[in-house]
């Protein structure tokens, strides 16, 4: 069985959805660790409750971003991970980290990429006035929210939506789509080297 580690900075509801999918037998992966850059993240508490080993790598504890990433890399390597899932992990990973880790890294983003990358995607969607938004699971490359797309799902945007109401609608879909995308990667149905539909 493939070994998965999850990185999260906050609430960890996507981590919870992944834990639940594994428990329900819908996703054949072993979650071998959960880490955060925020020691107090709810995500770490959720992992601990599920009996998953946790670790924190707060940026302030290291002299540089490179040192923080080196510590995270050493931890992931010691866990012999096959797949890493970013689930609300709010730090950009360097090209060097991605290359040295050498396994697929997935990310979930609350918009239909390439629309609205970066921070506050739901706010960006409302400000633009789109009628449809959604979520994207993609492989992480050296850009910001730019790697090959694995799965997307759309949700409507209503005229009276707030950031909160739209975020909630998207989050519900995220919880279904992320385990599905992980299943596709675990089963070798998609690979980071090429974009869907390209030779
Ligand atoms: C999710 O909406 C996820 O798509 C978003 O953060 C939230 C994390 O929620 N990620 C990004 O915006 C990454 N650019 P969670 O901690 O409850 O899973």
């Amino acid at each position: 069985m493939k070994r998965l580690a999850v990185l999260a900075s906050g609430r960890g509801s996507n981590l919870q959805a992944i834990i639940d999918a594994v428990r329900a037998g819908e996703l054949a992966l072993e979650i071998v660790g959960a880490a955060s850059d925020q020691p107090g993240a709810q995500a770490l508490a959720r992992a601990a409750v599920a009996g998953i080993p946790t670790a924190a790598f707060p940026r302030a504890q290291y002299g540089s971003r490179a040192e923080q990433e080196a510590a995270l890399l050493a931890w992931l390597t010691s866990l012999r991970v096959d797949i890493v899932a970013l689930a609300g992990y709010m730090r950009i990973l360097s090209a060097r980290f991605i290359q040295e880790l050498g396994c697929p890294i997935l990310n979930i983003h609350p918009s239909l990429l390439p629309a609205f990358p970066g921070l506050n995607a739901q706010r960006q969607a409302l400000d633009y006035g789109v009628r449809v938004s959604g979520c994207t699971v993609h492989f992480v490359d050296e850009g910001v929210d730019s790697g090959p797309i694995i799965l997307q799902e759309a949700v409507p945007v209503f005229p009276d939506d707030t950031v909160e109401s739209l975020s909630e609608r998207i989050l519900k879909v995220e919880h279904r789509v992320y385990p599905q995308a992980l299943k596709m990667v675990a089963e070798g149905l998609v690979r980071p080297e090429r974009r869907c539909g390209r030779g």
Side-chain angles (χ1 to χ4, degrees), residues 10-15 87-88 90 107-110 118 122 145 171 174:
R11 179 178 52 189
S13 70
N14 276 289
L15 166 63
M90 301 313 270
N107 181 45
I108 188 153
H109 185 77
Q122 301 93 333
D145 300 325
L171 196 63
E174 290 186 39

